[in-house]
Amino acid sequence: EEYMLGDVADITLGRDGSIYVLDRQVPAIRHYDGQGKYIRTIGRSGSGPGEYRSASGLAAMRDGRLLLWDTGNWRINIYSDDGSALTQWLTPSGSAGSSSAQFSRALMVDTAGVVITRKMIFSRDLNNRPIVWIRFQPDGSLIDTIKAPAAPRETPSLIAQQANASMSAPLPLAPRRVVVMNPLGYFVAGFPDRYAFELHQPGGSVVSVRR
């Protein structure tokens, strides 16, 4: 069964070239060597040390530590390169109660060793749920929370109104803005309906690359 994969949510490489696979369906973290031979399963479902409930990202640090963002328990689990649970960093959920969430590939480590998670801010206003990036030092201390750079135009929406209620949704097939965090620590953003994208560097000017 260690070679049967159900829902691969993320993959990352260890410093020795080994492969870590996050299978959200089990859930399980499978560890394979560089040729694909199974080594071990790391952690298990639960809420104890090293366990996870709803994982949203997997990343490896330069010192060999493996990170798993468990958005079921709202924490980042830290494992040694042999799969042992070392510690955990609490992360803000932005909601009340025992809620959980699932994001895709929402954890990364940049070239400076800064750990970055990406999440949506929960709000009763369905039309105002911004995406933010939360940054941590390699020791788990919080650096800051940053929003995506302002968009040059809005995504077209459909609005339905009835009495005192209204609902909005993106217009089907309309181009939706894509924003990603570069491993060098700046944002790359653009709309897929044109051959152009922007580099948003902290404290610097916006660089536009276009055809």
Side-chain angles (χ1 to χ4, degrees):
E1 66 178 34
E2 57 267 21
Y3 293 101
M4 297 176 61
L5 302 175
D7 179 10
V8 177
D10 208 349
I11 297 174
T12 194
L13 299 178
R15 59 180 175 177
D16 60 353
S18 62
I19 305 163
Y20 298 94
V21 179
L22 171 57
D23 189 336
R24 186 179 284 159
Q25 181 173 315
V26 179
I29 305 171
R30 307 287 194 202
H31 187 193
Y32 305 89
D33 67 16
Q35 286 69 48
K37 182 180 179 181
Y38 172 77
I39 299 175
R40 63 175 63 89
T41 296
I42 299 173
R44 61 182 180 182
S45 179
S47 299
E51 298 176 344
Y52 36 82
R53 290 178 51 222
S54 180
S56 292
L58 195 64
M61 303 191 73
R62 287 179 292 182
D63 61 8
R65 287 179 294 169
L66 178 69
L67 311 181
L68 173 75
W69 191 24
D70 174 12
T71 45
N73 293 307
W74 290 109
R75 65 192 186 191
I76 297 175
N77 289 346
I78 317 297
Y79 305 93
S80 66
D81 53 7
D82 66 0
S84 303
L86 296 176
T87 186
Q88 59 194 31
W89 306 340
L90 297 181
T91 61
S93 68
S95 60
S98 58
S99 63
S100 63
Q102 279 189 354
F103 308 107
S104 297
R105 303 186 66 187
L107 176 69
M108 67 175 290
V109 179
D110 71 11
T111 54
V114 174
V115 178
I116 305 171
T117 62
R118 171 181 48 81
K119 62 164 294 183
M120 177 185 294
I121 296 295
F122 292 102
S123 170
R124 291 184 178 181
D125 182 0
L126 300 180
N127 302 319
N128 184 27
R129 291 186 169 184
I131 302 296
V132 298
W133 284 257
I134 305 172
R135 304 194 301 170
F136 300 86
Q137 295 283 8
D139 63 0
S141 56
L142 180 67
I143 300 176
D144 57 15
T145 299
I146 52 180
K147 294 182 179 180
R153 56 188 168 100
E154 297 294 329
T155 299
S157 299
L158 291 174
I159 300 177
Q161 294 182 328
Q162 180 179 4
N164 297 324
S166 66
M167 179 178 294
S168 173
L171 188 69
L173 304 183
R176 304 179 68 174
R177 190 178 188 223
V178 178
V179 180
V180 297
M181 177 70 75
N182 187 286
L184 296 177
Y186 58 83
F187 285 113
V188 180
F191 285 90
D193 62 340
R194 59 188 181 127
Y195 292 107
F197 59 92
E198 292 78 42
L199 309 181
H200 296 260
Q201 305 177 63
S205 59
V206 178
V207 178
S208 179
V209 181
R210 63 185 63 230
R211 176 176 174 181

